Amino acid sequence: MREQLEQIKAQALDALEGCGDAKALDALRVRYLGKKGELTAILKQMGKLSPEERPVIGQKANEVREALEAALAARQEALKGSALASRLQEEALDVTMPGKTVTEGGLHPLSIVLDDMIDIFQSMGFDILDGPEVETDYYCFEALNVPKDHPARDMQDTFYLGENLVLRTQTSAAQIRVMENRKPPIRIICPGRVYRADEVDATHSPVFHQVEGLVVDKNITLCDLKGCLEQFAHEIYGPETKIRFRPSFFPFTEPSVEVDVSCTACGGKGCRVCKGAGWIEILGAGMVHPNVLRLCGIDPEVYSGFAFGIGLDRLTTTRYKISDIRLLFENDMRFLTQFK
Ligand code: PHE
């Protein structure tokens, strides 16, 4: 029996020594030390021994149990340690690795310039309004003093969506909607997209942007228009900028003007940007035609007003010296990220 004990001890220690994972270790514990284990099986036969042998073998059996328990505990500790070590190894964080770069968005150049314009006009007391891009023929033309057979319709190549429905060719349509709904004093700007059936080239796009302005009150004169636009030009291009009015024609303003600013690239000497002229046209404007006021229920004997339509795309290309308007619509990231 003593030999059996020695044998179990040797076997068990050997097995424990080579045991590599927690599950197998538990199986060994059951096999040797469990209730139905090999050591217990031997102890159950103690009754067959002589009274002299019993304490000796009993002591031996205890020794073996203690040795096995100690070896088991040591092995458990060791396994726990190495599991932790390998987990640390696996989950190790390399703090020297380059991080994932977070790309930050930026505003489109048109939005940047529009935001600036809104700031400027807001500071002069203008409200910012919105109008529909799909307009009726009435708001886009008729009410702006352009009847159906009027030759001025040819000035704007119109996308028709039906007999009486168009993609607005000008934000001026918004003027009528405002005057129908507000009483003077009126001071608004209405920025937005406009559409014309133009061939695409470096300076033309079938979709572009205007910012309409409208002021109606008592005693509004051309001087107010000039002062307002000059202030605007100084704030957007700098105080050295000059403006000039050229006589023009729009059916809904009288008198009408086209407004140029001194070239932002050469200051007026003449260069490629201004095609040698020294001036760049940025908007059309004029005094609101009495017919238009009357149609909207505003008495032209009491009130007068001015209106202007600024080309946002032109303003943006001149400000940033962008040579081709198409760049504003192609959304090439290499172009857009320059404006962050
Ligand atoms: N709507 C005109 C255009 O698109 C510009 C304009 C607006 C002219 C307001 C006068 C007054 O050409």
Side-chain angles (χ1 to χ4, degrees):
M1 201 172 260
R2 178 184 278 275
E3 274 129 54
Q4 268 181 318
L5 282 170
E6 283 296 346
Q7 211 181 343
I8 287 172
K9 182 180 170 190
Q11 249 178 26
L13 286 179
D14 210 40
L16 285 172
E17 189 67 34
C19 177
D21 72 277
K23 234 178 165 182
L25 196 63
D26 201 53
L28 287 177
R29 181 185 60 76
V30 173
R31 173 164 171 202
Y32 290 106
L33 296 169
K35 269 191 198 135
K36 292 179 183 161
E38 293 187 19
L39 194 60
T40 322
I42 290 182
L43 293 177
K44 279 186 185 149
Q45 296 169 26
M46 294 273 283
K48 292 183 194 156
L49 293 173
S50 64
E52 300 84 52
E53 274 178 318
R54 225 176 273 161
V56 185
I57 295 297
Q59 198 188 353
K60 183 70 199 167
N62 279 336
E63 250 176 58
V64 171
R65 159 173 296 139
E66 275 162 29
L68 291 189
E69 278 171 353
L72 188 77
R75 197 70 207 134
Q76 262 166 351
E77 265 320 294
L79 279 184
K80 236 198 257 169
S82 74
L84 182 66
S86 69
R87 202 169 136 204
L88 283 175
Q89 173 87 32
E90 263 168 42
E91 296 176 5
L93 211 59
D94 181 355
V95 293
T96 64
M97 284 231 307
K100 286 186 190 147
T101 41
V102 180
T103 42
E104 198 183 292
L107 287 178
H108 191 281
L110 286 171
S111 300
I112 298 173
V113 176
L114 178 57
D115 283 353
D116 288 353
M117 288 175 75
I118 287 176
D119 276 352
I120 294 167
F121 283 110
Q122 232 161 15
S123 76
M124 293 196 242
F126 284 71
D127 283 347
I128 320 300
L129 298 182
D130 215 4
E133 289 176 28
V134 174
E135 262 298 5
T136 62
D137 184 276
Y138 177 79
Y139 285 107
C140 200
F141 297 118
E142 292 263 1
L144 287 164
N145 213 19
V146 191
K148 280 248 157 35
D149 51 359
H150 196 286
R153 289 223 175 192
D154 292 345
M155 285 168 72
Q156 301 180 354
D157 288 312
T158 311
F159 286 115
Y160 280 89
L161 300 177
E163 207 189 320
N164 283 312
L165 223 49
V166 301
L167 288 178
R168 68 175 173 196
T169 57
Q170 48 186 355
T171 43
S172 299
Q175 285 184 34
I176 307 300
R177 291 182 177 273
V178 173
M179 285 189 278
E180 280 180 353
N181 293 308
R182 293 190 178 199
K183 293 283 141 258
I186 293 169
R187 229 183 309 175
I188 61 98
I189 61 167
C190 170
R193 287 192 196 92
V194 295
Y195 302 84
R196 288 185 201 179
D198 276 333
E199 292 290 335
V200 177
D201 64 26
T203 54
H204 291 87
S205 160
V207 187
F208 58 103
H209 304 79
Q210 288 184 335
V211 179
E212 193 77 10
L214 175 70
V215 172
V216 182
D217 202 351
K218 288 176 180 153
N219 303 318
I220 298 290
T221 69
L222 199 67
C223 281
D224 297 309
L225 173 62
K226 195 160 187 187
C228 176
L229 293 177
E230 195 167 52
Q231 177 70 19
F232 166 72
H234 286 176
E235 294 206 31
I236 209 98
Y237 289 120
E240 66 290 345
T241 311
K242 293 197 197 59
I243 67 168
R244 112 181 147 172
F245 278 29
R246 279 180 292 112
S248 185
F249 171 77
F250 299 105
F252 39 92
T253 47
E254 182 59 36
S256 300
V257 292
E258 266 164 326
V259 180
D260 302 337
V261 292
S262 51
C263 178
T264 49
C266 65
K269 287 192 232 50
C271 67
R272 254 184 44 222
V273 176
C274 56
K275 299 200 180 88
W279 297 93
I280 296 168
E281 183 193 327
I282 58 161
L283 62 93
M287 301 306 292
V288 183
H289 198 292
N291 285 356
V292 176
L293 291 174
R294 210 174 289 120
L295 195 82
C296 297
I298 296 172
D299 185 353
E301 299 298 328
V302 181
Y303 293 102
S304 54
F306 64 75
F308 54 82
I310 304 175
L312 175 60
D313 313 83
R314 175 59 79 82
L315 219 65
T316 306
T317 52
T318 50
R319 166 141 158 204
Y320 292 117
K321 306 192 171 55
I322 297 165
S323 56
D324 194 321
I325 193 178
R326 284 171 285 200
L327 287 164
L328 294 176
F329 300 101
E330 283 165 355
N331 289 333
D332 184 331
M333 290 304 284
R334 289 168 302 181
F335 170 73
L336 293 178
T337 49
Q338 297 175 55
F339 298 91
K340 273 211 229 162

